[in-house]
């Protein structure tokens, strides 16, 4: 009885209409990392401006 789909990427069980967000999450994390790196380059120091990042800079 397979009333669910299995994500081929991460193996998560999904409802028939559910789309796995593992790829989206990976993409977001990658973007966040790039943003953080760019921020570090700009300020030339390791600062964690999480509130700034979440504001959608
Ligand atoms: Zn997945």
């Amino acid at each position: 009885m397979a009333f669910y789909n299995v994500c081929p990427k991460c193996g998560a069980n999904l409802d028939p209409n559910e789309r796995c967000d593992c790829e989206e999450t990976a993409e977001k994390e990658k973007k966040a990392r790039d943003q953080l790196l760019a921020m570090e380059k700009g300020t030339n120091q390791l600062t964690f401006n999480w509130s700034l990042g979440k504001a959608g800079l």
Side-chain angles (χ1 to χ4, degrees):
M1 35 186 265
F3 284 105
Y4 57 85
N5 297 320
V6 175
C7 175
K9 303 269 179 191
C10 68
N13 292 337
L14 305 165
D15 291 329
N17 294 327
E18 191 182 2
R19 222 182 98 235
C20 191
D21 64 352
C22 64
E23 278 184 281
E24 247 175 77
T25 304
E27 189 72 15
K28 266 183 204 165
E29 275 175 16
K30 189 171 166 287
K31 270 184 191 165
R33 203 164 303 151
D34 287 350
Q35 212 166 52
L36 203 65
L37 281 176
M39 224 181 275
E40 283 172 29
K41 264 185 212 161
T43 59
N44 206 25
Q45 64 182 23
L46 192 66
T47 47
F48 290 97
N49 293 321
W50 292 116
S51 55
L52 209 67
K54 277 173 187 166
L57 235 188

